[in-house]
Amino acid sequence: MIRAQLRRLRTAAGMSQEEFGRLVHYSGSMVSALELGQRPLDRLFLARADEVLTTGGLLVHLLRLAERDGQPSWFRPWLDAERSARQLRCFQPTLIPGLLQTENYARAVIRCDDMLSDDEVERRVHARLDRQSLLAQPDPPQFVAVVDELVLRRAAEDVRGLMVEQITHLVASLERPHVSLHVIPAEVGLHVGLSGPFNLARGADGGWVGHMEHQIDGLVVDGDHEVATLLARWEMIRNGALSRRQSTELMKEVVTSWT
């Protein structure tokens, strides 16, 4: 559908593929390959096409919709809850939360699955980055995340530069008043959160929805008892974490120790 719209808009503007290519800084043969589906859609290309064709961002918007609909069926209910949430809670004992990941960190994590093609890796990276836009919208939800200290310190020498960039991004993210990140220090030892990661979303109606993910798929939880259990565990986990200021200082200390 996106390729057909692109071709229709270009033709309606009276431009050949060569003429259009010059305006968007792509060759005519590349434009042809993109329109015919011989190359994957490129976000930068579509953004330039939107500008040249004055579509108001139509093509990029269609790509976002396609990426959302391309998400696994088990993940879509959570995406809907996440988009409409007024409050979000996230506990991650092993990774930086997806809504706070840099592009390079997200790509490195997704590439750990060597069964994915390069195109699929990039599709998933872009989908993850698009999710982050909800934190930058005019009336964003309050987002509070808790991670284990080990998440920050898991950095062999070959990914240390990547982790410096990621943690620096986390510190910068905390300058936004609606974003908080708390770290459970290593000395806490065993705690209830080690049973696994989970997310919580509170909608405009005040109701909470939970989400738990594992190696194969995930589960949206909306039963009263299950949600109450996750909320109780969230409170226990949050109570064991450092304050916002202490967490920020710890992150800065980690970066300083590497640089």
Side-chain angles (χ1 to χ4, degrees), residues 125-150:
V125 169
H126 286 308
R128 185 163 300 177
L129 296 179
D130 275 344
R131 284 176 58 207
Q132 297 177 3
S133 64
L134 68 90
L135 295 181
Q137 62 191 19
D139 185 23
Q142 179 200 52
F143 179 68
V144 183
V146 176
V147 299
D148 261 8
E149 183 177 344
L150 178 62

mmCIF file of all heavy atoms in Angstrom, residues 125-150:
data_model
loop_
_atom_site.group_PDB
_atom_site.id
_atom_site.type_symbol
_atom_site.label_atom_id
_atom_site.label_comp_id
_atom_site.label_asym_id
_atom_site.label_seq_id
_atom_site.Cartn_x
_atom_site.Cartn_y
_atom_site.Cartn_z
ATOM 1 N N VAL A 125 14.253 -2.529 15.186
ATOM 2 C CA VAL A 125 14.876 -1.348 15.788
ATOM 3 C C VAL A 125 13.993 -0.124 15.569
ATOM 4 O O VAL A 125 13.706 0.634 16.509
ATOM 5 C CB VAL A 125 16.282 -1.106 15.193
ATOM 6 C CG1 VAL A 125 16.816 0.272 15.612
ATOM 7 C CG2 VAL A 125 17.248 -2.199 15.643
ATOM 8 N N HIS A 126 13.545 0.088 14.329
ATOM 9 C CA HIS A 126 12.702 1.254 14.031
ATOM 10 C C HIS A 126 11.384 1.188 14.795
ATOM 11 O O HIS A 126 10.888 2.220 15.275
ATOM 12 C CB HIS A 126 12.441 1.347 12.530
ATOM 13 C CG HIS A 126 13.630 1.815 11.745
ATOM 14 N ND1 HIS A 126 14.335 2.956 12.040
ATOM 15 C CD2 HIS A 126 14.264 1.267 10.670
ATOM 16 C CE1 HIS A 126 15.327 3.109 11.194
ATOM 17 N NE2 HIS A 126 15.314 2.098 10.351
ATOM 18 N N ALA A 127 10.806 0.005 14.918
ATOM 19 C CA ALA A 127 9.553 -0.133 15.662
ATOM 20 C C ALA A 127 9.763 0.237 17.125
ATOM 21 O O ALA A 127 8.912 0.885 17.747
ATOM 22 C CB ALA A 127 9.019 -1.560 15.538
ATOM 23 N N ARG A 128 10.896 -0.169 17.684
ATOM 24 C CA ARG A 128 11.178 0.149 19.089
ATOM 25 C C ARG A 128 11.386 1.646 19.283
ATOM 26 O O ARG A 128 10.889 2.239 20.240
ATOM 27 C CB ARG A 128 12.415 -0.624 19.559
ATOM 28 C CG ARG A 128 12.716 -0.463 21.040
ATOM 29 C CD ARG A 128 13.650 -1.535 21.539
ATOM 30 N NE ARG A 128 13.076 -2.868 21.350
ATOM 31 C CZ ARG A 128 13.711 -3.997 21.659
ATOM 32 N NH1 ARG A 128 14.929 -3.948 22.198
ATOM 33 N NH2 ARG A 128 13.133 -5.166 21.475
ATOM 34 N N LEU A 129 12.100 2.264 18.366
ATOM 35 C CA LEU A 129 12.334 3.700 18.475
ATOM 36 C C LEU A 129 11.034 4.482 18.298
ATOM 37 O O LEU A 129 10.831 5.522 18.939
ATOM 38 C CB LEU A 129 13.372 4.144 17.440
ATOM 39 C CG LEU A 129 14.773 3.557 17.616
ATOM 40 C CD1 LEU A 129 15.698 4.063 16.520
ATOM 41 C CD2 LEU A 129 15.345 3.880 18.990
ATOM 42 N N ASP A 130 10.149 3.998 17.420
ATOM 43 C CA ASP A 130 8.861 4.665 17.243
ATOM 44 C C ASP A 130 8.030 4.625 18.524
ATOM 45 O O ASP A 130 7.304 5.575 18.829
ATOM 46 C CB ASP A 130 8.074 4.015 16.104
ATOM 47 C CG ASP A 130 8.442 4.583 14.748
ATOM 48 O OD1 ASP A 130 9.066 5.662 14.711
ATOM 49 O OD2 ASP A 130 8.113 3.959 13.727
ATOM 50 N N ARG A 131 8.123 3.526 19.266
ATOM 51 C CA ARG A 131 7.392 3.440 20.538
ATOM 52 C C ARG A 131 7.814 4.554 21.485
ATOM 53 O O ARG A 131 7.003 5.043 22.273
ATOM 54 C CB ARG A 131 7.650 2.087 21.209
ATOM 55 C CG ARG A 131 6.910 0.917 20.611
ATOM 56 C CD ARG A 131 7.323 -0.371 21.302
ATOM 57 N NE ARG A 131 7.084 -0.344 22.736
ATOM 58 C CZ ARG A 131 7.777 -1.051 23.633
ATOM 59 N NH1 ARG A 131 8.767 -1.833 23.241
ATOM 60 N NH2 ARG A 131 7.468 -0.983 24.907
ATOM 61 N N GLN A 132 9.065 4.962 21.405
ATOM 62 C CA GLN A 132 9.583 5.962 22.327
ATOM 63 C C GLN A 132 8.961 7.337 22.114
ATOM 64 O O GLN A 132 9.052 8.196 22.992
ATOM 65 C CB GLN A 132 11.100 6.050 22.196
ATOM 66 C CG GLN A 132 11.826 4.767 22.563
ATOM 67 C CD GLN A 132 13.323 4.854 22.349
ATOM 68 O OE1 GLN A 132 13.848 5.908 21.976
ATOM 69 N NE2 GLN A 132 14.022 3.759 22.573
ATOM 70 N N SER A 133 8.331 7.540 20.961
ATOM 71 C CA SER A 133 7.746 8.849 20.669
ATOM 72 C C SER A 133 6.659 9.231 21.661
ATOM 73 O O SER A 133 6.372 10.412 21.845
ATOM 74 C CB SER A 133 7.190 8.873 19.243
ATOM 75 O OG SER A 133 6.117 7.946 19.094
ATOM 76 N N LEU A 134 6.071 8.258 22.331
ATOM 77 C CA LEU A 134 5.004 8.589 23.284
ATOM 78 C C LEU A 134 5.543 9.378 24.473
ATOM 79 O O LEU A 134 4.808 10.106 25.136
ATOM 80 C CB LEU A 134 4.257 7.337 23.741
ATOM 81 C CG LEU A 134 4.958 6.302 24.613
ATOM 82 C CD1 LEU A 134 4.779 6.608 26.091
ATOM 83 C CD2 LEU A 134 4.405 4.914 24.323
ATOM 84 N N LEU A 135 6.849 9.243 24.764
ATOM 85 C CA LEU A 135 7.448 10.008 25.870
ATOM 86 C C LEU A 135 7.772 11.438 25.456
ATOM 87 O O LEU A 135 8.088 12.272 26.309
ATOM 88 C CB LEU A 135 8.718 9.321 26.374
ATOM 89 C CG LEU A 135 8.533 7.948 27.018
ATOM 90 C CD1 LEU A 135 9.878 7.404 27.488
ATOM 91 C CD2 LEU A 135 7.551 8.002 28.189
ATOM 92 N N ALA A 136 7.720 11.721 24.156
ATOM 93 C CA ALA A 136 8.036 13.057 23.655
ATOM 94 C C ALA A 136 6.797 13.807 23.172
ATOM 95 O O ALA A 136 6.909 14.925 22.679
ATOM 96 C CB ALA A 136 9.049 12.957 22.515
ATOM 97 N N GLN A 137 5.630 13.210 23.315
ATOM 98 C CA GLN A 137 4.414 13.873 22.851
ATOM 99 C C GLN A 137 4.039 15.013 23.800
ATOM 100 O O GLN A 137 4.566 15.107 24.915
ATOM 101 C CB GLN A 137 3.274 12.848 22.753
ATOM 102 C CG GLN A 137 2.900 12.188 24.057
ATOM 103 C CD GLN A 137 1.957 11.011 23.867
ATOM 104 O OE1 GLN A 137 1.827 10.457 22.789
ATOM 105 N NE2 GLN A 137 1.285 10.616 24.936
ATOM 106 N N PRO A 138 3.150 15.920 23.377
ATOM 107 C CA PRO A 138 2.843 17.103 24.191
ATOM 108 C C PRO A 138 2.340 16.787 25.597
ATOM 109 O O PRO A 138 2.650 17.508 26.536
ATOM 110 C CB PRO A 138 1.759 17.811 23.358
ATOM 111 C CG PRO A 138 2.020 17.365 21.954
ATOM 112 C CD PRO A 138 2.491 15.952 22.058
ATOM 113 N N ASP A 139 1.552 15.754 25.762
ATOM 114 C CA ASP A 139 1.025 15.390 27.087
ATOM 115 C C ASP A 139 1.435 13.951 27.391
ATOM 116 O O ASP A 139 0.616 13.029 27.343
ATOM 117 C CB ASP A 139 -0.498 15.534 27.097
ATOM 118 C CG ASP A 139 -1.093 15.294 28.486
ATOM 119 O OD1 ASP A 139 -0.351 15.444 29.483
ATOM 120 O OD2 ASP A 139 -2.280 14.927 28.561
ATOM 121 N N PRO A 140 2.715 13.740 27.722
ATOM 122 C CA PRO A 140 3.232 12.369 27.851
ATOM 123 C C PRO A 140 2.792 11.701 29.141
ATOM 124 O O PRO A 140 2.453 12.372 30.126
ATOM 125 C CB PRO A 140 4.746 12.580 27.845
ATOM 126 C CG PRO A 140 4.916 13.924 28.494
ATOM 127 C CD PRO A 140 3.743 14.741 28.010
ATOM 128 N N PRO A 141 2.802 10.389 29.181
ATOM 129 C CA PRO A 141 2.509 9.677 30.430
ATOM 130 C C PRO A 141 3.696 9.791 31.390
ATOM 131 O O PRO A 141 4.832 10.055 30.977
ATOM 132 C CB PRO A 141 2.323 8.224 29.962
ATOM 133 C CG PRO A 141 3.203 8.127 28.749
ATOM 134 C CD PRO A 141 3.094 9.463 28.065
ATOM 135 N N GLN A 142 3.412 9.596 32.663
ATOM 136 C CA GLN A 142 4.497 9.499 33.637
ATOM 137 C C GLN A 142 5.121 8.112 33.496
ATOM 138 O O GLN A 142 4.423 7.106 33.534
ATOM 139 C CB GLN A 142 3.957 9.677 35.064
ATOM 140 C CG GLN A 142 5.029 9.576 36.131
ATOM 141 C CD GLN A 142 4.453 9.265 37.497
ATOM 142 O OE1 GLN A 142 3.686 8.315 37.652
ATOM 143 N NE2 GLN A 142 4.775 10.084 38.487
ATOM 144 N N PHE A 143 6.426 8.067 33.311
ATOM 145 C CA PHE A 143 7.123 6.793 33.105
ATOM 146 C C PHE A 143 8.145 6.594 34.218
ATOM 147 O O PHE A 143 9.041 7.421 34.411
ATOM 148 C CB PHE A 143 7.822 6.779 31.748
ATOM 149 C CG PHE A 143 8.592 5.512 31.474
ATOM 150 C CD1 PHE A 143 7.926 4.305 31.293
ATOM 151 C CD2 PHE A 143 9.972 5.524 31.398
ATOM 152 C CE1 PHE A 143 8.626 3.133 31.044
ATOM 153 C CE2 PHE A 143 10.682 4.358 31.137
ATOM 154 C CZ PHE A 143 10.009 3.163 30.964
ATOM 155 N N VAL A 144 7.981 5.498 34.946
ATOM 156 C CA VAL A 144 8.914 5.162 36.024
ATOM 157 C C VAL A 144 9.454 3.766 35.759
ATOM 158 O O VAL A 144 8.685 2.814 35.575
ATOM 159 C CB VAL A 144 8.232 5.201 37.410
ATOM 160 C CG1 VAL A 144 9.253 4.912 38.509
ATOM 161 C CG2 VAL A 144 7.564 6.551 37.643
ATOM 162 N N ALA A 145 10.776 3.642 35.733
ATOM 163 C CA ALA A 145 11.419 2.354 35.473
ATOM 164 C C ALA A 145 12.366 2.007 36.615
ATOM 165 O O ALA A 145 12.940 2.888 37.252
ATOM 166 C CB ALA A 145 12.187 2.393 34.156
ATOM 167 N N VAL A 146 12.522 0.719 36.844
ATOM 168 C CA VAL A 146 13.484 0.210 37.827
ATOM 169 C C VAL A 146 14.329 -0.851 37.133
ATOM 170 O O VAL A 146 13.799 -1.725 36.439
ATOM 171 C CB VAL A 146 12.782 -0.400 39.060
ATOM 172 C CG1 VAL A 146 13.820 -1.000 40.014
ATOM 173 C CG2 VAL A 146 11.958 0.657 39.780
ATOM 174 N N VAL A 147 15.647 -0.757 37.318
ATOM 175 C CA VAL A 147 16.553 -1.762 36.752
ATOM 176 C C VAL A 147 17.525 -2.212 37.836
ATOM 177 O O VAL A 147 17.768 -1.497 38.815
ATOM 178 C CB VAL A 147 17.353 -1.212 35.551
ATOM 179 C CG1 VAL A 147 16.430 -0.776 34.432
ATOM 180 C CG2 VAL A 147 18.279 -0.077 35.976
ATOM 181 N N ASP A 148 18.096 -3.389 37.654
ATOM 182 C CA ASP A 148 19.165 -3.857 38.526
ATOM 183 C C ASP A 148 20.479 -3.167 38.141
ATOM 184 O O ASP A 148 20.714 -2.853 36.974
ATOM 185 C CB ASP A 148 19.333 -5.372 38.394
ATOM 186 C CG ASP A 148 18.650 -6.126 39.514
ATOM 187 O OD1 ASP A 148 17.929 -5.493 40.299
ATOM 188 O OD2 ASP A 148 18.847 -7.350 39.618
ATOM 189 N N GLU A 149 21.333 -2.954 39.109
ATOM 190 C CA GLU A 149 22.636 -2.359 38.837
ATOM 191 C C GLU A 149 23.414 -3.171 37.806
ATOM 192 O O GLU A 149 24.171 -2.622 36.989
ATOM 193 C CB GLU A 149 23.442 -2.241 40.128
ATOM 194 C CG GLU A 149 24.789 -1.569 39.953
ATOM 195 C CD GLU A 149 25.545 -1.403 41.267
ATOM 196 O OE1 GLU A 149 24.923 -1.525 42.350
ATOM 197 O OE2 GLU A 149 26.764 -1.149 41.195
ATOM 198 N N LEU A 150 23.220 -4.493 37.818
ATOM 199 C CA LEU A 150 23.910 -5.359 36.866
ATOM 200 C C LEU A 150 23.625 -4.960 35.426
ATOM 201 O O LEU A 150 24.481 -5.114 34.547
ATOM 202 C CB LEU A 150 23.493 -6.820 37.092
ATOM 203 C CG LEU A 150 24.092 -7.871 36.146
ATOM 204 C CD1 LEU A 150 25.611 -7.908 36.285
ATOM 205 C CD2 LEU A 150 23.497 -9.247 36.432
#
